Amino acid sequence: MGSMSLYLFNIVLLSSLILLSNGQEQYENHHNTEQMFDVLDRVHAKCPEITYIYDLPLKSVEKRPLRVIVFSDNPKHHESLEPEFKYVGNMHGNEIVGRELLLQLAEYLCEEYKNGNQAIQKLVDNTRIHLMPSMNPDGWEIAAQHAWNTTEPGQYKDIETMLKEQGAIDWTVGRTNANGVDLNRNFPNLDEFIYKYNQRVNHRNNHLDLETFVALTEGKDCHDQTYQVETITVAFWIMQSPFVLSANLHNGDLVANYPYDDSANHLRMYSPSPDDTLFQQLAESYSHANTNMESPKKPCGTDVFPDGITNGAAWYPVCGGMQDFNYLASNSFELTLELGCQKFPPGKDLANLWNENKRALVNFMWQTHLGIKGLIDDEEGEPIFNASIKVYQLINSNWEYIDHDVTSNSNGDYYRLLVDGTYAIQVKKPGYESQTRHITVHNKEHQTDAHRYDFTLQTTSSEQDNLRRMLRKFMD
């Protein structure tokens, strides 16, 4: 090798080592709010064609933005027949693994897309993915500052080194927002409504009436706390966005938790939703891709979770949680993912946590493409908004109604997550004749398209035509 070639080789090698060192350092350091935003900005600058950054309309109590980065081949807009997905991290401010994993996930999606990873390119091109690293940035700052203030003087040179070496040890400080309210107990308690509605023959089973709820509760949650600004802005984000699937990321145990989170009497007992089989499969799609979560052992020394999953209320009841709010107030099916025993682990553990969860995080996003999707329009080809999609499953020669409808979006597209099986799909909308199709669903691993079934609804006769017919019948 000539001297010039050797020189160039050494330069390339040195550059590679520097990049590897910077990447490792990145994975070993916690990110405060400004550093978190810097990561998102850097990802967007690197992948501007597939990313978009936006803030929710309202800021936190201490005026920090709730920021989201989107990945898609058309990241600024919803596209018909392209489902939307979200991850929300750091809802409890001192539970930080989700926050850091989502930052690393953003970098991973960008890098792998640019590097030609075909699986990631398919996922991004066919899904609109929203990542909110922190729903509670105030709580994170409170937890980190408390850890620094209670550390023995002189033990670490600065707060960054302290967080890297020991993290935050206190189990409770920073969990709540700046007003001392637990955000995962602060959403409207729609479980109470659905349990009451279920006693009626013709009851509403989706997009429950929040105005009625607010009027009855005078704007307070089931713990008599005022709805917080973070809760309000996230709740409207959920209701106004066409999300199909989502997860909120927590710490404190190692398990994938699914609805319902609360029972009818608020006691600890298994409380299945109408989509219980589907939710179990969704939870296993994460836990089975995370070896530690799937393990039958007691990972955190307390509860045993077969297959690494649990029904929420069977574990412990939660009133006013975000998970069930998604299911009952929107089209989104949500899980709560507990990603480790330590709430605020040392930064030096973050690289291992990323390696443990990377495959599961990606695999869960693929589940957005389970089941069916399609377009609903009228005879003129105009999209029909807010049509109800009702599902009946053939079980032991009987058609059983899955008592949870989804609705079509403003441009007429709909998405219904389903496990493998035989179904009757009925589409209904006032003013139109209902339509039913019988289908068979067979999901494939890492499919980029759910089975597509479009519906064209015929308008019903006008009220005036009905009156004319009645008049003719009377005259005859």
Side-chain angles (χ1 to χ4, degrees), residues 90 153 339 412 422 428:
N90 202 207
L339 301 177
T422 301
K428 301 183 72 173

Side-chain angles (χ1 to χ4, degrees), residues 55-66 229-230 233:
D55 293 342
L56 298 198
L58 303 179
K59 295 183 178 180
S60 70
V61 172
E62 295 183 346
K63 306 305 179 185
R64 294 184 174 93
L66 303 187
V229 64
E230 296 93 344
T233 197

Side-chain angles (χ1 to χ4, degrees), residues 191-192 195-196 199 260 262-267 269 271 313:
D191 293 289
E192 180 178 351
Y195 287 129
K196 289 180 180 178
Q199 299 174 12
Y260 286 131
D262 202 4
S263 62
N265 54 13
H266 306 297
L267 298 178
M269 58 187 296
S271 301

Side-chain angles (χ1 to χ4, degrees), residues 31 122 141 195 262 282 290 292 311 343 452:
H31 297 82
K122 286 183 180 179
E141 300 289 345
Y195 287 129
D262 202 4
L282 291 171
N290 181 318
N292 290 336
N311 172 262
K343 289 180 176 285
R452 180 173 173 178

